[in-house]
Amino acid sequence: MAYAAWWSFVGAASLLLGAGLTYWFTIGARTLGLVMGFGAGALISAVAFDLVLPSAQTAGRLPILVGLLAGALTFWGGDLLLERRTGGQDPVVGTQVSGLPLVLGAALDGVPESVAIGLTTLGGASVSAAMVVAVFLSNVPEGLAGTMGLRRAGWATGRIILLWSAIVAACVLAAVLGYAVLGSASPSTVALIQSFAAGAILCMLANTLMPQAYGHGGRAVGLVTVLGFIFASALAATGG
């Protein structure tokens, strides 16, 4: 359990790293978009090789289908609530991003990502390095963009760090609870949960990370997304 908690913390703590970078360096929009694109490619690989493929090898098609749809609908519903909260303005598209909705969006996709990390350690298995790296890389730009928005809104530094720290703690707790509850679960149940996380992450990529990455980074984002996919796939192929 402590093993799952530690690696979940490693993946989620990059939200704090992203927040810190906005205070230490001047981050250009193009750089932000390229980092987002690389993280998106890494997450696509992790979803395919660390969540869906293992589920397909141990369970039938129905748990995977139900999990993917349930995860996607859950994130879609949460994203819709965030949009309504901002008065109908999409909080993740465009150059002026509202900080608080992005923070809430990071929490929505951070929890299933952390559960997914915990699930890869079930049965005493080594954690999936590809999954941890993918989550780490995708959280950095979320921490960057969200903090930029909060600073523009006048939030104090201590309040921003406290907010990100609360999300990291929630992610670690989700990984621990997922590991404890699912330690003796059937392959179909594990496949359902893994697929749920995969569906939520894929929906987040399509609605949040990739549109904003392209908006900031332009056409080069497509190339770095492929590089991110190659990098994470290489880790998965070597058993990482």
Side-chain angles (χ1 to χ4, degrees):
M1 185 180 297
Y3 185 72
W6 165 251
W7 286 112
S8 173
F9 171 77
V10 170
S14 58
L15 289 168
L16 289 168
L17 173 61
L21 289 175
T22 67
Y23 294 96
W24 302 326
F25 304 100
T26 300
I27 309 296
R30 181 173 174 81
T31 299
L32 177 62
L34 294 176
V35 172
M36 284 177 154
F38 190 90
L43 267 179
I44 292 171
S45 172
V47 164
F49 295 114
D50 293 292
L51 294 176
V52 176
L53 182 59
S55 298
Q57 293 172 339
T58 59
R61 298 177 181 175
L62 183 59
I64 298 174
L65 176 61
V66 172
L68 285 170
L69 291 176
L73 287 171
T74 298
F75 184 86
W76 177 84
D79 192 45
L80 182 61
L81 290 176
L82 289 176
E83 183 178 344
R84 291 179 177 176
R85 187 182 178 123
T86 59
Q89 180 182 2
D90 192 333
V92 297
V93 177
T95 58
Q96 297 298 321
V97 181
S98 180
L100 187 56
L102 245 184
V103 171
L104 295 175
L108 282 175
D109 65 74
V111 169
E113 287 170 353
S114 296
V115 171
I117 289 175
L119 286 173
T120 65
T121 67
L122 287 175
S126 298
V127 71
S128 167
M131 189 68 197
V132 173
V133 169
V135 171
F136 185 94
L137 290 174
S138 67
N139 281 339
V140 170
E142 287 186 300
L144 277 168
T147 301
M148 287 178 178
L150 293 175
R151 290 180 66 184
R152 283 197 301 267
W155 280 51
T157 299
R159 191 181 179 193
I160 293 173
I161 298 303
L162 182 62
L163 185 59
W164 285 123
S165 297
I167 293 176
V168 172
C171 291
V172 173
L173 179 61
V176 170
L177 290 177
Y179 181 91
V181 172
L182 298 171
S184 58
S186 67
S188 294
T189 300
V190 174
L192 178 67
I193 303 280
Q194 287 181 315
S195 299
F196 179 94
I201 293 171
L202 285 173
C203 194
M204 179 275 296
L205 286 171
N207 286 5
T208 304
L209 200 60
M210 297 183 77
Q212 191 175 343
Y214 183 82
H216 289 305
R219 295 184 183 278
V221 166
L223 297 177
V224 296
T225 298
V226 174
L227 291 177
F229 181 88
I230 293 171
F231 179 77
S233 298
L235 284 177
T238 56

